[in-house]
Amino acid sequence: MKIYARQGDLVIEKLDNVNVGDLRVSKDIVFAGDSSGHRHRITGEIKARRDQLVTTILVEKEAQLVHEKADGHKTVVLKPGTYQVRPLRERGDGQDRAVED
Amino acid sequence: MLEQLTEEQERLCDEIVQEYIQDLQKPTTPDGVAIKKWLDRVYSFYDKKCPERIEIVGSPYEAIKLASDLTGEKQTSTDHCGIGEGGWVSFYDYFHRIGVLTDAEAADVLTFRDFMRCAWDTILLDECAIVVQRPLALRVDDAGNLHGAKEPCIEWADGRKEYAWHGTWVNERIILDPRSYTKEEYLAITNTEERRALSESGGWLWVRDLLGGEKVSDWTDPSTKLSYELLRLTDGQMLLQKQSPPLKDGSQPTYLERVHEDLKTAQAARKWQALPRLTAAECEKDPTLEYEVEA
């Protein structure tokens, strides 16, 4: 099994099925982040739809997933394609939850 | 037009960066002249005069409370116009110093620079200019992140203190008394960075002893050399201890996250975290998972 990328606790999975429904144009979309506000940010304009913790994105022009902490995770290049971006799973009490970073 | 920097100009660029970074940690006292000069200028941008009443307060919290009391409206933040602007101020300061900007062109930037060297931020109201004093202490780690191993990272003049561990905001207890945490309290922390801060502050050996963890499996990714350990706690909970890919500064911190109790191997636990559509049993049956990029 091969997944496109992981940046910290964020998984970026390339989707083969391109029929992903309606996506809206989004600029500088951000994800999660720790208590210091160090979020993960996709620079540039993409199309996206957020379904709670899972975000579907369409990258038409190469974009970058940047971690805002100066000495944090390295940048991940997103080549054109459709992806699902979601946090890693963690076991909670009674149900699973997303890893918060 | 400036097309190429001389060696001296390049050197000056690095020096100014260090100058501004080191200035951040100086507990300078408010300079009335520099403050008034900036306030007069900034109010003029809005065609207003600086109010007669200028209050210098000891922290952003005190500023917000005063602004709320004066306006009768809930204030939630300062102006964010102060020390946080050092990035672009230093940029224009540099170009003034190498003669690209004239004194007249740089005048406002330098007035602002002199203000932020003796003050932190503002809340500018029509009837009162609230100026936040610089903190008495501001501590960072080698990477410049707010950090205090056994002390606050920020000590405000009004007595308030803030705590951080290598750039992660945490509560006082994590810094001053990490080993007072019980196992239940540790596992109740949902933020993995906060949990990591507590673990590093208290020590990983303390964490293993606290949780009563026994290693049941370990695995090293042959392509990235990242290491993973699956731990079983005495109450049956399973934790995955994992090494981060190299960060921008080359460090590789360790994280500890709870995984499904039916998992038996570290490799499968890694896959379980990444693929919510799979059960623990499915991950154990086929634990292989490769990332094109891990950062």
Side-chain angles (χ1 to χ4, degrees), chain B residues 167-222:
Chain B
T168 298
W169 289 120
V170 293
N171 62 48
E172 178 181 334
R173 194 174 157 206
I174 284 180
I175 300 298
L176 298 185
D177 197 8
R179 295 187 179 188
S180 70
Y181 273 76
T182 63
K183 174 182 164 182
E184 290 69 31
E185 287 175 318
Y186 181 97
L187 291 172
I189 297 172
T190 57
N191 186 294
T192 196
E193 289 291 349
E194 196 180 327
R195 202 183 306 139
R196 178 178 68 90
L198 172 58
S199 303
E200 291 177 0
S201 179
W204 282 104
L205 289 178
W206 163 75
V207 172
R208 294 273 287 254
D209 288 341
L210 175 74
L211 302 181
E214 167 204 14
K215 186 175 78 172
V216 297
S217 162
D218 59 51
W219 181 74
T220 300
D221 187 329

Side-chain angles (χ1 to χ4, degrees), chain B residues 57-87:
Chain B
V57 297
S59 74
Y61 309 100
E62 207 177 321
I64 288 168
K65 183 176 181 316
L66 177 59
S68 300
D69 290 344
L70 289 175
T71 60
E73 293 170 2
K74 187 175 181 205
Q75 302 289 325
T76 56
S77 75
T78 56
D79 293 334
H80 294 298
C81 189
I83 203 149
E85 309 305 309

Side-chain angles (χ1 to χ4, degrees), chain B residues 109-175:
Chain B
V109 167
L110 298 181
T111 299
F112 186 36
R113 180 198 65 185
D114 294 342
F115 166 80
M116 53 184 253
R117 284 194 167 163
C118 66
W120 184 262
D121 200 342
T122 58
I123 296 181
L124 302 182
L125 307 172
D126 287 348
E127 66 272 30
C128 178
I130 304 171
V131 176
V132 181
Q133 195 177 333
R134 291 249 228 167
L136 302 178
L138 190 149
R139 299 180 180 99
V140 298
D141 61 16
D142 290 342
N145 296 310
L146 287 170
H147 175 74
K150 287 284 176 224
E151 56 196 342
C153 63
I154 300 178
E155 294 183 45
W156 295 107
D158 67 353
R160 285 182 171 91
K161 296 175 170 53
E162 319 257 21
Y163 297 85
W165 183 267
H166 294 298
T168 298
W169 289 120
V170 293
N171 62 48
E172 178 181 334
R173 194 174 157 206
I174 284 180
I175 300 298

Side-chain angles (χ1 to χ4, degrees), chain A residues 3 13 36 71 86 93 100, chain B residues 145 167 192 258 274 277 290:
Chain A
I3 291 182
E13 187 170 8
S36 298
D71 56 353
R86 59 178 186 268
D93 290 320
E100 297 168 32
Chain B
N145 296 310
T192 196
R258 199 171 152 196
R277 59 183 178 266
E290 196 183 327

Side-chain angles (χ1 to χ4, degrees), chain B residues 3 7 24 45 67 107 109 153 166 182-183 220 223 253 261 278 295:
Chain B
E3 290 191 353
E7 269 188 38
L24 277 175
F45 293 151
V109 167
C153 63
H166 294 298
T182 63
K183 174 182 164 182
T220 300
S223 55
E261 53 275 8
L278 297 181

Side-chain angles (χ1 to χ4, degrees), chain A residues 76-91:
Chain A
V76 172
V77 171
L78 299 174
K79 297 175 195 161
T82 310
Y83 302 85
Q84 191 183 76
V85 183
R86 59 178 186 268
L88 286 175
R89 176 169 47 167
E90 185 174 17
R91 192 67 165 155

Side-chain angles (χ1 to χ4, degrees), chain B residues 271-288:
Chain B
K271 187 171 184 177
W272 179 87
Q273 280 206 303
L275 290 157
R277 59 183 178 266
L278 297 181
T279 64
E282 286 167 333
C283 293
E284 284 295 341
K285 192 172 176 190
D286 177 10
T288 55

